[in-house]
Amino acid sequence: MAPRTRARSEAKTPLTPSSTADLVNAIANKAKTPLTQSSTADLVNAIANISLNSRPSSPIKRTTSAQIPVSDSLHRQAGAGVVRRGGVESRLDVVTRDYVPKPADLKRSRSTPASARRDRFITNRDNDSDVAPTLEQIHLNPKSASPGHTARLVAATGVPLNRRILAYHEPPPAASSSSDSALAQHRQFARPLYAQRGTSIPNSIGATKTRKIPTQPERVLDAPGLVDDFYLNLLAWSTSNSVAVALETSTYIWKADTGAVTQLGDAPEGTYVSSVDFSNDGAFLGIGLGTGDVELWDVEAAQKLRTMTGHQGQIATLSWHQHILTSGCGDGSIWHHDVRVPRHKVMELIGHTGEVCGLKWRSDGQLLASGGNDNVVNIWDGRVGDVTEGARGNAKWTKRNHTAAVKAIAWCPWQPSLLASGGGTNDATINVWNTTTGARLHSLKTPSQITSLLWAPAKKEILSTHGFPTNALMVHAYPSMERVAEIRDAHDARVLFSCLSPNGDVVCTGAGDENLKFWRIWDAGEEKARKKKVVSGTEEVGGGRINSTREGILSIR
């Protein structure tokens, strides 16, 4: 098979003016002779004739492909090599901008906004757009609503149609008591409601200020045999101004009025006194023993009335409310004893897994607070009611914020809902609780273990006693909880026990150094004008009088 060859086309392409100009330039360059204007015109005409005679024009373009008139302008354009606008051909417009493809629509989650410029809450609106009307364009259109309904709205609100409800106006005139007698009369009637009560508790001194308290005790009592045990409660002060202190197996009564010391009784053989507490009227004394028995004594007659048994461990703490004597045991149980009936146990409270070492009734008897060696503070409903033997109660609030044994428990006398608790060595923190809501209101870290807490009855302050290493008495302002006074090394050993006088001005402390010391911390409200009064060679302490001695030390035994 013969190879296929492509036939040569006999058709000849006519020359355009642009190609003619290029050909003229090529001939000029080849000849290396500059062409004059006349020679250039002759060359162009010759080339044009050759082009026209070589091939007939297309039938379609015959009407437009006649001979082109040659002028001086065309010659100049041909010499420049470009036919400019206005000639037969024009240069193509140059693209000055690159093509940028439209970004593809990506799928987005529902949480992604449709536009980056769009804010979720604040829309971007064009002020000139009709879509965003101004406030002046918003008005009530009565035609779109029922005429009757619109009339009722106008009558009910008193606002005319097409009137703004919210608008800027001049401020109202200030009230004048002289012009308005009724207003002045109402203010006069309401003034007592905002006046400070005369019986209100004064606040403590400013948070950054401290006040001076005597750093030396007013009196010191020698108490040989006072047991150095953190968990025991061996000191109490009655409303009849008598101090009870337990020294090993014996219990003594020291009367502040006369300074007389009376031995109340001894514990049975083989045991010891672990706690003491006076009844509300001061006529009776409860004594807890190491064997778990609770004794009831008549203070005036110095006679034991009864012994209530049943506990299986030592009675580390006691607390009275009316005829109910509550005891905390080493096995974690709390018993209510009704001292009027033979079957004294009327209720048992279960809520501690360790020894109960702190116990306090609120003054109104509605709540009872307890602290234990299990680092727990329990708040119990104190309403015993008609119960039978074996009845049990559950805690209303249980607080586990402390990290050590809780012995220090104190109710606030001027705000009954406040309860303060203090932890041992590993905690050393004072917490103040709202027993109505169960919330912890304040927390204060101290430098050493807290052994007892006392609220000031006539001032917004709280006193704390401490063990190693400070052996101090600290007074804190409430509610700032900042320290306003401190007595460092109040005893030679850790301060374990404390009690407040009936007047609320003197604090008695007991420590492992076998001393009882009396400190005047606050001023009694009714005796503020006379802090000290000397009568017949005697000096008042805690609402009573003690005999003065040269060395200032009296012996209990």
Side-chain angles (χ1 to χ4, degrees):
M1 187 176 197
R4 298 176 61 181
T5 59
R6 185 174 182 179
R8 180 176 296 180
S9 176
E10 296 298 333
K12 296 181 180 179
T13 304
L15 295 175
T16 62
S18 61
S19 59
T20 302
D22 295 336
L23 183 59
V24 170
N25 293 333
I27 294 173
N29 294 332
K30 188 70 176 174
K32 298 183 180 180
T33 302
L35 297 177
T36 63
Q37 185 176 359
S38 59
S39 61
T40 301
D42 295 339
L43 184 59
V44 170
N45 293 331
I47 293 173
N49 293 330
I50 295 173
S51 175
L52 293 174
N53 296 328
S54 64
R55 182 182 178 181
S57 60
S58 174
I60 301 176
K61 298 183 179 180
R62 271 175 199 167
T63 57
T64 61
S65 60
Q67 292 184 356
I68 303 173
V70 179
S71 61
D72 296 339
S73 175
L74 181 59
H75 287 301
R76 287 193 299 271
Q77 294 179 24
V82 176
V83 179
R84 298 182 181 178
R85 187 176 301 277
V88 177
E89 292 184 355
S90 299
R91 179 183 295 178
L92 295 177
D93 293 335
V94 179
V95 178
T96 59
R97 297 183 181 180
D98 295 336
Y99 170 73
V100 180
K102 182 179 180 181
D105 294 335
L106 300 178
K107 293 183 178 180
R108 59 183 180 87
S109 61
R110 294 182 179 180
S111 61
T112 305
S115 176
R117 297 181 181 180
R118 177 181 175 184
D119 192 270
R120 182 178 179 183
F121 301 103
I122 303 175
T123 58
N124 295 328
R125 295 180 179 178
D126 188 4
N127 295 330
D128 299 334
S129 176
D130 295 336
V131 182
T134 59
L135 291 176
E136 289 77 6
Q137 295 172 336
I138 299 177
H139 64 277
L140 180 63
N141 186 9
K143 297 181 180 180
S144 62
S146 172
H149 179 67
T150 304
R152 287 192 296 270
L153 287 178
V154 172
T157 59
V159 179
L161 291 177
N162 299 329
R163 179 181 175 182
R164 291 185 183 181
I165 298 177
L166 300 178
Y168 292 103
H169 296 284
E170 293 295 329
S176 176
S177 58
S178 59
S179 60
D180 192 350
S181 59
L183 180 60
Q185 186 177 8
H186 288 311
R187 287 181 176 176
Q188 188 68 23
F189 291 154
R191 184 169 299 173
L193 299 177
Y194 298 95
Q196 187 177 6
R197 295 178 299 172
T199 58
S200 61
I201 304 299
N203 290 326
S204 181
I205 298 185
T208 59
K209 297 181 180 179
T210 59
R211 62 182 179 86
K212 294 182 179 180
I213 60 174
T215 57
Q216 296 297 324
E218 290 192 349
R219 288 292 177 230
V220 179
L221 297 181
D222 186 20
L226 188 63
V227 180
D228 187 359
D229 192 331
F230 172 81
Y231 298 98
L232 304 185
N233 292 271
L234 305 179
L235 193 62
W237 202 328
S238 72
T239 56
S240 59
N241 207 22
S242 297
V243 177
V245 56
L247 306 179
E248 294 179 343
T249 61
S250 302
T251 305
Y252 293 87
I253 301 295
W254 177 77
K255 295 185 177 180
D257 293 334
T258 61
V261 178
T262 304
Q263 182 179 357
L264 194 61
D266 293 326
E269 186 177 355
T271 187
Y272 56 92
V273 179
S274 55
S275 59
V276 294
D277 192 45
F278 281 104
S279 61
N280 300 129
D281 57 3
F284 303 97
L285 180 68
I287 299 176
L289 303 179
T291 56
D293 296 340
V294 179
E295 295 181 348
L296 182 62
W297 286 76
D298 186 331
V299 177
E300 190 65 27
Q303 182 180 358
K304 183 170 68 174
L305 301 179
R306 63 182 300 183
T307 299
M308 296 174 285
T309 61
H311 279 294
Q312 302 301 318
Q314 75 171 2
I315 308 301
T317 179
L318 295 170
S319 184
W320 280 86
H321 174 64
Q322 296 180 354
H323 57 275
I324 299 295
L325 176 58
T326 304
S327 58
C329 183
D331 59 6
S333 63
I334 299 173
W335 286 13
H336 289 326
H337 305 272
D338 190 340
V339 299
R340 304 170 301 175
V341 297
R343 294 185 177 182
H344 52 88
K345 180 183 177 182
V346 294
M347 182 174 284
E348 182 177 2
L349 306 179
I350 303 298
H352 288 280
T353 58
E355 180 178 10
V356 180
C357 51
L359 199 63
K360 277 290 186 294
W361 276 96
R362 199 166 75 174
S363 59
D364 58 0
Q366 297 294 318
L367 293 175
L368 172 71
S370 62
N373 197 22
D374 53 359
N375 312 340
V376 173
V377 176
N378 281 326
I379 302 171
W380 313 82
D381 190 342
R383 294 170 292 183
V384 177
D386 296 332
V387 295
T388 58
E389 184 178 0
R392 293 189 175 187
N394 296 320
K396 179 181 178 181
W397 302 106
T398 298
K399 301 300 177 183
R400 306 181 185 274
N401 301 77
H402 289 285
T403 58
V406 182
K407 176 190 175 186
I409 296 287
W411 289 96
C412 180
W414 35 264
Q415 191 169 345
S417 61
L418 295 182
L419 173 69
S421 60
T425 304
N426 294 332
D427 183 67
T429 302
I430 300 175
N431 290 326
V432 179
W433 312 93
N434 185 334
T435 57
T436 303
T437 62
R440 180 172 62 170
L441 303 179
H442 307 281
S443 185
L444 175 66
K445 184 71 175 179
T446 63
S448 57
Q449 70 175 168
I450 302 168
T451 57
S452 65
L453 293 170
L454 295 172
W455 289 91
K459 200 174 186 64
K460 290 187 177 181
E461 292 179 351
I462 184 172
L463 178 138
S464 58
T465 62
H466 299 266
F468 295 122
T470 60
N471 302 334
L473 276 65
M474 296 183 184
V475 180
H476 311 276
Y478 186 84
S480 66
M481 299 302 292
E482 295 197 9
R483 190 182 310 170
V484 297
E486 180 182 7
I487 303 176
R488 300 273 296 188
D489 297 321
H491 286 264
D492 295 334
R494 55 180 179 173
V495 184
L496 295 174
F497 323 109
S498 70
C499 54
L500 188 63
S501 67
N503 272 357
D505 54 348
V506 177
V507 175
C508 177
T509 58
D513 59 359
E514 299 183 347
N515 284 327
L516 299 182
K517 295 184 178 181
F518 295 85
W519 313 85
R520 188 172 295 276
I521 305 298
W522 299 291
D523 295 331
E526 62 272 12
E527 295 187 5
K528 191 172 183 179
R530 48 190 186 98
K531 296 181 180 179
K532 295 181 181 180
K533 181 180 180 182
V534 179
V535 179
S536 302
T538 62
E539 192 175 88
E540 293 187 351
V541 171
R545 296 190 299 271
I546 63 171
N547 295 332
S548 60
T549 58
R550 292 182 180 178
E551 62 275 8
I553 298 178
L554 296 177
S555 178
I556 291 291
R557 296 195 182 212

